Amino acid sequence: MTASETAPSTVITQLSGPHDATEAVRRNLAACWTAVVNAGGAVVPMGCPLPPVARATLRPAVERITRELSPDHSRLLMATVDGALAGWLLLRREAHPLAAHCGVLNHVQTHVRFRGRGVGAAMMRYAQGVARDEMGLERLRLAVRSGLGLEEFYRKAGWTEVGRWPGALRVSPGDDRDEILMSLAL
């Protein structure tokens, strides 16, 4: 586990193995994820019902993510502000050999209490450095749900929209959203 100061009060910590994810870390990840999903965030994991959700509902996804952490293939970055978990994301190397030079960002989220403080931007900058300098990746990709203004956040961080899947995400009956595919050259 390594940490780096990225903004006056934001510290980014990197977990690169299952042993780094203590019970307290896993509990905090699930609590943050629950708050984000219930506030309308786009980070609803596979197998999870649509909001509102309970922390216990997200716990299996947290367990799976932390169990699969590996320095070469999967790292979890956590942002804390004054010791409290303010956000987190998962950085993964593509598994297929043809795409192993590329990575994917998943579950990018900032706790509702810390939005608008630069936590997300700090995590994105840190993730780019880890991907490029520590994992040797050359490109990152992510998918974003339209209708939340997220694509503008990523554009400001240097990402480019490379495609859309119109109406791919059904938030509720009559509320279909595009899935926006974004890419960042490192």
Side-chain angles (χ1 to χ4, degrees):
M1 183 167 18
T2 59
S4 173
E5 189 79 25
T6 60
S9 62
T10 303
V11 176
I12 308 292
T13 305
Q14 181 182 161
L15 284 67
S16 59
H19 58 279
D20 292 333
T22 65
E23 174 58 30
V25 164
R26 293 191 313 271
R27 188 173 47 251
N28 287 334
L29 292 171
C32 178
W33 205 345
T34 301
V36 169
V37 168
N38 288 340
V43 290
V44 179
M46 194 71 105
C48 182
L50 295 178
V53 297
R55 192 178 306 176
T57 306
L58 292 164
R59 190 61 189 249
V62 168
E63 295 297 330
R64 187 173 46 257
I65 287 168
T66 56
R67 186 175 50 249
E68 295 173 357
L69 292 175
S70 148
D72 292 334
H73 301 287
S74 180
R75 307 212 187 168
L76 193 141
L77 305 181
M78 300 185 319
T80 57
V81 173
D82 299 326
L85 183 64
W88 63 277
L89 62 80
L90 183 64
L91 171 60
R92 294 182 303 109
R93 176 184 303 279
E94 286 286 3
H96 196 284
L98 291 174
H101 64 289
C102 297
V104 181
L105 287 187
N106 292 120
H107 311 298
V108 179
Q109 53 192 285
T110 301
H111 195 291
V112 242
R113 292 188 336 244
F114 296 97
R115 290 189 178 157
R117 295 190 192 181
V119 171
M123 286 194 305
M124 297 307 290
R125 285 189 303 274
Y126 193 84
Q128 290 175 35
V130 170
R132 181 187 57 246
D133 302 335
E134 296 180 29
M135 296 178 74
L137 299 174
E138 299 172 21
R139 178 171 297 282
L140 293 174
R141 72 174 172 90
L142 57 79
V144 177
R145 181 195 311 167
S146 69
L148 298 173
L150 298 171
E151 57 269 43
E152 186 57 30
F153 166 78
Y154 290 109
R155 279 189 197 104
K156 287 179 182 176
W159 292 74
T160 303
E161 181 178 327
V162 294
R164 280 184 184 244
W165 187 8
L169 305 170
R170 180 155 294 157
V171 177
S172 63
D175 186 5
D176 292 352
R177 309 280 180 92
D178 294 352
E179 183 172 39
I180 304 167
L181 309 175
M182 303 195 82
S183 177
L184 177 71
L186 300 172

